Amino acid sequence: MTPTEHQPTYTIGQAASMVNTTVKTLHYYDEIGLLRPSKRTEGGHRLYSAADLWTLELIGTLRYVNFSLEDIRKMISGELSMTEALNLQIDALEVELGAISSMLAILKQARQRTIHNSSEDSMHYIADLVASRSAHSVKRQQFINNKIEETKLLEDLPEDWQASFMHLFNKYIMKESKLTARQTQAWIELQKLMNDSTYMEELASCELPFFRMALHPQHQAHDWIGQMEQIRLRTLEAIQHQWPPSSPAVQTLTHDFLLLYANVEELGQPDEFIPRQARHLLDSVTERILRFNKLCTIVNPEWQDITGGMELLMQGMQALLAKKRNN
């Protein structure tokens, strides 16, 4: 009999009671793969070990400080380091703090106004204050257009390729949606970031292969957008199936993604272009670019599909280059 067989186990009801949660929650954690019980009875009933209970306590603690279940899953599995997770959460909470400060200022101004005005007038005043601070899609689009024109980032590209460059950003960040206070705060920081000339230089450097390709493209602009959308869907599938970066499916996906940045001449030399483009993209990821993506995810959570896919592709590039070094 092994030592582990002597260790006590607990039913799902007992485990839920011991960690102050519900049976429904433990069922859900099992379903999503966050925490599966160490054992089951012959009848299939869940049995939790002391180690399982400790993990459940840890999950509860991390939830208390507002970590998402997905981030907790990544931390438990080792996909996300503690340092990375803490940095992500601190960044998110700093944005949240700014949003709370903004809302507090609005409410204090409104309270001051109620001293000398009617309730109806004060309600209109609150609406005006919120409207003055909000950033609806037209305002956001105007800011982006002005910034692109000011920096001349896309001036050498044909109009259809300029639209291609902005496609994903327009699709996800310029959606017709009213921003919450937290999203507005993230948008304010996004504007500051895009007003930073260093960030715009880093963006231009990162996207240099796109600019080269767009001047001598292998595809029409609308076809390129369609293929990029297919890449996005394939990365989502890979993430859902938890395929490793070195797997044939992810390596094929990475290969196809990199080739979308090849111009007509480079397309004829894939063995040279693919590793060169992989190294360029990996070297181009800066703290500002990572921050930009975090803020975009706050403005619209759907942006996570983009960043999650890019993370997988970056890991695929690292595996590709490692394999090339070892051959």
Side-chain angles (χ1 to χ4, degrees), residues 10 18 50 99 138 140 318:
Y10 307 91
M18 293 171 74
V138 174
R140 302 200 299 275
Q318 291 170 340

Side-chain angles (χ1 to χ4, degrees), residues 27-311:
H27 276 293
Y28 181 64
Y29 287 173
D30 190 359
E31 289 170 7
I32 65 174
L34 180 61
L35 177 68
R36 294 196 167 99
S38 297
K39 295 182 179 180
R40 288 181 182 267
T41 66
E42 291 183 2
H45 297 293
R46 298 168 176 83
L47 293 175
Y48 291 82
S49 67
D52 293 334
L53 295 183
W54 184 89
T55 302
L56 286 170
E57 290 279 9
L58 176 62
I59 292 170
T61 300
L62 293 173
R63 290 294 286 159
Y64 177 80
V65 289
N66 214 33
F67 278 94
S68 69
L69 290 178
E70 178 59 19
D71 282 344
I72 295 172
R73 185 195 66 76
K74 289 181 179 179
M75 292 166 69
I76 291 173
S77 67
E79 296 174 52
L80 185 67
S81 72
M82 179 60 73
T83 299
E84 291 173 318
L86 290 173
N87 285 337
L88 286 170
Q89 195 62 8
I90 288 169
D91 287 344
L93 289 175
E94 284 178 342
V95 172
E96 190 77 35
L97 184 60
I100 291 171
S101 297
S102 177
M103 288 187 288
L104 189 59
I106 289 173
L107 294 174
K108 284 183 175 180
Q109 290 179 60
R111 182 179 63 184
Q112 185 64 29
R113 190 173 181 90
T114 60
I115 297 173
H116 305 292
N117 297 275
S118 68
S119 295
E120 183 177 351
D121 183 58
S122 296
M123 291 293 287
H124 285 297
Y125 182 66
I126 292 175
D128 290 341
L129 280 175
V130 172
S132 70
R133 297 188 182 208
S134 66
H136 56 71
S137 61
V138 174
K139 283 185 180 180
R140 302 200 299 275
Q141 186 67 68
Q142 188 59 55
F143 172 83
I144 294 298
N145 291 342
N146 291 343
K147 183 54 57 180
I148 294 298
E149 185 175 343
E150 172 192 325
T151 59
K152 304 185 185 304
L153 183 67
L154 307 178
E155 67 174 352
D156 293 331
L157 298 185
E159 287 188 10
D160 54 346
W161 283 101
Q162 291 186 31
S164 295
F165 181 84
M166 296 301 301
H167 171 71
L168 289 177
F169 196 78
N170 288 333
K171 179 177 180 180
Y172 288 96
I173 305 304
M174 300 305 162
K175 291 180 70 174
E176 285 287 349
S177 60
K178 185 174 181 180
L179 300 186
T180 64
R182 182 169 183 262
Q183 289 170 322
T184 298
Q185 189 66 27
W187 171 249
I188 290 170
E189 190 177 337
L190 272 172
Q191 291 178 89
K192 291 179 181 178
L193 190 56
M194 286 184 278
N195 281 327
D196 183 342
S197 60
T198 303
Y199 167 74
M200 295 306 290
E201 289 170 4
E202 290 173 352
L203 177 62
S205 175
C206 181
E207 296 297 342
L208 187 59
F210 172 86
F211 299 147
R212 289 174 177 160
M213 180 275 296
L215 294 175
H216 304 284
Q218 52 171 309
H219 307 287
Q220 295 295 319
H222 66 276
D223 292 333
W224 188 86
I225 289 175
Q227 293 194 46
M228 285 296 290
E229 181 66 12
Q230 286 301 310
I231 293 289
R232 186 184 72 80
L233 295 174
R234 288 166 64 188
T235 59
L236 286 178
E237 180 185 16
I239 291 169
Q240 289 167 358
H241 286 87
Q242 298 184 17
W243 292 331
S246 59
S247 66
V250 175
Q251 283 297 293
T252 300
L253 175 57
T254 304
H255 181 279
D256 293 346
F257 170 73
L258 292 170
L259 279 182
L260 280 177
Y261 286 86
N263 60 32
V264 173
E265 181 180 345
E266 292 165 334
L267 192 61
Q269 301 173 318
D271 291 340
E272 293 181 13
F273 175 78
I274 287 174
R276 184 172 73 243
Q277 171 65 353
R279 282 190 292 268
H280 173 81
L281 286 176
L282 290 170
D283 291 343
S284 297
V285 178
T286 66
E287 288 299 319
R288 292 178 185 84
I289 288 175
L290 290 173
R291 182 63 177 165
F292 178 87
N293 282 324
K294 291 175 188 175
L295 293 167
C296 286
T297 301
I298 294 173
V299 173
N300 183 1
E302 291 181 45
W303 189 264
Q304 183 61 44
D305 289 350
I306 306 299
T307 56
M310 279 306 303
E311 286 174 12

